[in-house]
Amino acid sequence: MSQSPSSTDLLALRDLRAGFDTEEGWRLAVDGISLALQPGRSLGLVGESGCGKSVTALSIMRLLPQPHGHVVGGSIAFEGQDLATLPQAELASLRGGAMSMIFQEPMTALHPVRSIGDQLLEALRLHDRQGSAQAHEARVLEMLQRVGIAGGRDRLRQYPHQLSGGMRQRVMIAMALLNRPRLLIADEPTTALDVTVQAQILELIADLQREMGMGVLLITHDLGVVAQYCDEVAVMYAGRIVERASVQQLFAKPRHAYTRALLASRPRLEGKPKTLLPAIAGQVPSLRDWVSGCRFAPRSGLAHEPAWTQQPLAVVEIEPGHWVEHCPACLS
Amino acid sequence: MSLLEVTDLSLHFALRGGLLRRQVAKCRAVDGVSFTLQPGETLGLVGESGCGKTTLGKTVVRLLEPTAGRIIFDGCDISHASASQLRPLRREMQMVFQDPAESLNPRHTVGDLIEEPFVVQGLGSGAQRREWAHELLGRVGLSADAYQRFPFEFSGGQRQRIGIARAIALKPKLLICDEPVSALDVSVQSQVLNLLLELQREMGMSFLFIAHGLNVVKHMSDRVAVMYLGRIVEMAGAEELYRHPRHAYTKALLDAIPEADPALRRPRRLLQGDVPSPINPPPGCAFGARMKHPLYPQSLEMDLSLREVSPGHWVQPCPCCT
Ligand SMILES: Nc1ncnc2c1ncn2[C@@H]1O[C@H](COP(=O)(O)OP(=O)(O)OP(=O)(O)O)[C@@H](O)[C@H]1O
Ligand SMILES: Nc1ncnc2c1ncn2[C@@H]1O[C@H](COP(=O)(O)OP(=O)(O)OP(=O)(O)O)[C@@H](O)[C@H]1O
Ligand SMILES: [Mg+2]
Ligand SMILES: [Mg+2]
């Protein structure tokens, strides 16, 4: 959002733009995102499937799939240094050390034919050359236990395909936390976990935040996790952030029509079973159909004047700390 | 007649090690599970991460061969059926995989992937298959231009929907849904769940619905089974289970559902004790062992098969958890 970056920001994105070269030409996937995260805080990033959350995360880590993915505009500052221009060698020493990422699909992040013990030990060794092999193994085992994987050394010998979906996810979480990063980007970290293990993982992350001021960018579809865990939330739609506020403000008083529709689709325990659930009609606009103005217009059920969809919209601070894309139709 | 009857099913993985790849241990992923599924019925399956849900699902549709026990599908005993005996049945039983990366060949276009089930079964002409594929894309909420793209060009949730389109292509009688909507935002999630409900209504499909989202499971299921470390510990009608949980693990699960409202924020409730491992499972009641319950030792001497405590409500009868 158009918040001015401050020197205390752990992470600050300004007008980030990123996308892909495809057979049909250039496709923008993230279209001018600005946000800031302070140490010790957690920012939730939510939004429709395909809206650009993972591309945002991968852009920050400079890990967009090569050779097609590129950051084409804006800046990414981590503790004040611009990651977009940092040489690869320096980036590599930050990644997995001072800043680390939990990927949405564990199987794309874990090496399929190396044991998880090998992979965890290597992650540790890369950033801690001093420790003895024994000390490293002890740290790995302790971390596995903290993420709730029992079985000790037997587990270290196993390969990713021998673990359950949620165990792979937790191996990746362990790997991301081993070096006690200052910035954690967690892309759907708990989708494969039951709610009791999920609570344990969120507690572990919160512990590290308290102990060392780790900042967390948490991408999730689970509004329960956002409500229970995050300090702030940003809501994305079609490559842009349409609303951002403290978690209390956003749930109590959502201002953008998309945010309201999203919150209204929450599945409820009291609902009548096996009946059709409320969903937002229509589909997210395909990347090539993005307009400059309000992209939610066709699905909002609200009358939009042509200017509101054709011209870029300002982002306004509608209450202290509550920012919304200013589309006259969608704003309430 | 039941569409599916599973009796005392077990699947133990051999863990090999050393130069000679000898079996050094075994993992009791599924350990004596029984249930039935009627045509048009949905059985929800929930449980701790790693408790054996995916393994159970894969064994039921015979992507894995059981170590013990019996699977009767549509009147046929398929427990040890061969690949060629299973081929015609594949059309009737399909699975949506938890990890889409596992099932989508990255070198095929989305169109090819969705048409593959038709090709394997020799259905339709090229033009017809193309038309069916486009219709399926629409039903899972993907745009038509997805057809000629490759799986890696999609977001996680979009890939999951490609997997769903593939699995429902042949309109199977039994669909194992393994976390079918966990990668979707709540609105797209509703679209996909509505699609499953419609398919069930139109064609009487049966679902084994595996998920961690307890609200979603309650919404979709007629009955729900709760698994802990390879075994079903409780099973009942959905309404009944959520209202009157009997087993301590079921209670712990329901208690940990994160409320989607920051005004109702509360301290996270954590389970005590260490998660037990199926590689060296404790004897008797695994959850009682984990909680170090004073009555746990009594479960060692007991037959832990499910007992019916009220009509249709089955619980593992250990004194430590019920
Ligand atoms: N390698 C790629 N080539 C081309 N397009 C891509 C590629 N990766 C992603 N995209 C497109 O970029 C857009 C944003 O994808 P992204 O993965 O960021 O979505 P997301 O918000 O993380 O969604 P989800 O919640 O489903 O994970 C999508 O429309 C996707 O199709
Ligand atoms: N191919 C395999 N070889 C050895 N062990 C395996 C294999 N596949 C699964 N396991 C083990 O079986 C157990 C059950 O795994 P499964 O994938 O069925 O769990 P799950 O209930 O689906 O968990 P999640 O909710 O995390 O997906 C785990 O301990 C896992 O390590
Ligand atoms: Mg994503
Ligand atoms: Mg699983």
Side-chain angles (χ1 to χ4, degrees), chain A residues 47-54 104-105 187-188 191 221 284, chain B residues 96-98 100-101 104 140-142 151 153-165 179-185 188-189 191-192:
Chain A
E48 189 136 3
S49 170
C51 70
K53 303 179 296 293
S54 298
Q104 184 170 8
E105 284 176 26
D187 193 354
E188 300 284 2
T191 44
H221 289 304
V284 221
Chain B
V96 175
F97 293 91
Q98 181 171 18
L104 302 177
V140 296
L142 291 171
E153 296 180 64
F154 291 85
S155 77
Q158 290 166 334
R159 266 199 288 271
Q160 203 169 28
R161 283 177 275 164
I162 298 167
I164 293 173
E179 294 288 353
V181 294
S182 60
L184 306 176
D185 66 277
V188 174
Q189 170 177 298
Q191 279 175 24
V192 169

Side-chain angles (χ1 to χ4, degrees), chain B residues 281-302:
Chain B
C285 168
F287 193 66
R290 171 186 181 161
M291 305 308 278
K292 302 200 173 59
H293 196 282
L295 297 182
Y296 159 67
Q298 289 184 24
S299 76
L300 299 176
E301 323 279 294
M302 292 183 64

Side-chain angles (χ1 to χ4, degrees), chain B residues 6-278:
Chain B
V6 171
T7 317
D8 272 331
L9 194 68
S10 294
L11 192 130
H12 299 170
F13 290 106
L15 302 180
R16 298 176 191 281
L19 280 178
L20 301 173
R21 316 253 334 117
R22 265 202 284 265
Q23 177 168 342
V24 289
K26 71 183 172 191
C27 174
R28 299 165 172 268
V30 174
D31 207 19
V33 163
S34 306
F35 65 89
T36 60
L37 190 61
Q38 305 306 314
E41 189 189 31
T42 303
L43 176 66
L45 183 60
V46 301
E48 188 161 45
S49 168
C51 71
K53 303 177 297 296
T54 298
T55 306
L56 176 60
K58 285 186 175 168
T59 311
V60 163
V61 295
R62 281 301 320 280
L63 296 172
L64 295 171
E65 186 164 355
T67 311
R70 214 165 39 148
I71 311 161
I72 313 275
F73 174 74
D74 217 3
C76 291
D77 186 340
I78 59 166
S79 321
H80 301 283
S82 66
S84 63
Q85 289 168 319
L86 286 169
R87 196 165 304 121
L89 289 172
R90 289 272 166 244
R91 194 174 164 175
E92 305 294 353
M93 42 187 210
Q94 292 282 328
M95 180 154 179
V96 175
F97 293 91
Q98 181 171 18
D99 201 335
E102 210 176 326
S103 63
L104 302 177
N105 185 330
R107 281 179 294 277
H108 290 184
T109 64
V110 170
D112 289 343
L113 287 168
I114 297 183
E115 286 176 21
E116 186 183 285
F118 301 120
V119 175
V120 171
Q121 297 288 337
L123 301 171
S125 65
Q128 259 168 336
R129 291 199 288 259
R130 203 185 163 89
E131 192 188 315
W132 292 336
H134 275 98
E135 189 192 319
L136 284 162
L137 282 175
R139 291 200 84 166
V140 296
L142 291 171
S143 55
D145 67 344
Y147 186 87
Q148 69 277 6
R149 290 163 64 194
F150 291 90
F152 68 82
E153 296 180 64
F154 291 85
S155 77
Q158 290 166 334
R159 266 199 288 271
Q160 203 169 28
R161 283 177 275 164
I162 298 167
I164 293 173
R166 232 167 100 88
I168 63 175
L170 297 172
K171 311 203 162 121
K173 288 187 182 151
L174 171 65
L175 187 62
I176 312 285
C177 302
D178 194 1
E179 294 288 353
V181 294
S182 60
L184 306 176
D185 66 277
V186 286
S187 173
V188 174
Q189 170 177 298
S190 300
Q191 279 175 24
V192 169
L193 296 178
N194 289 346
L195 168 64
L196 292 176
L197 289 170
E198 279 162 21
L199 288 171
Q200 186 162 62
R201 235 171 267 168
E202 284 165 26
M203 299 169 341
M205 249 184 214
S206 304
F207 300 134
L208 180 63
F209 192 89
I210 304 172
H212 289 304
L214 294 164
N215 297 10
V216 166
V217 169
K218 168 141 187 276
H219 189 83
M220 296 299 288
S221 307
D222 299 291
R223 288 183 302 139
V224 177
V226 181
M227 249 178 116
Y228 195 80
L229 206 72
R231 310 176 57 108
I232 292 180
V233 294
E234 183 161 11
M235 180 154 60
E239 206 55 52
E240 164 74 8
L241 187 98
Y242 281 66
R243 250 176 235 264
H244 307 292
R246 299 290 194 109
H247 192 275
Y249 177 66
T250 315
K251 290 182 186 165
L253 260 188
L254 294 175
D255 205 40
I257 300 178
E259 197 84 50
D261 183 352
L264 304 175
R265 216 182 248 208
R266 50 167 208 203
R268 275 180 278 283
R269 305 196 190 162
L270 301 179
L271 285 179
Q272 53 187 87
D274 290 333
V275 183
S277 165

Side-chain angles (χ1 to χ4, degrees), chain A residues 21-36:
Chain A
D21 276 322
T22 71
E23 279 175 20
E24 300 113 74
W26 172 251
R27 267 170 205 270
L28 199 61
V30 167
D31 186 14
I33 285 209
S34 303
L35 49 81

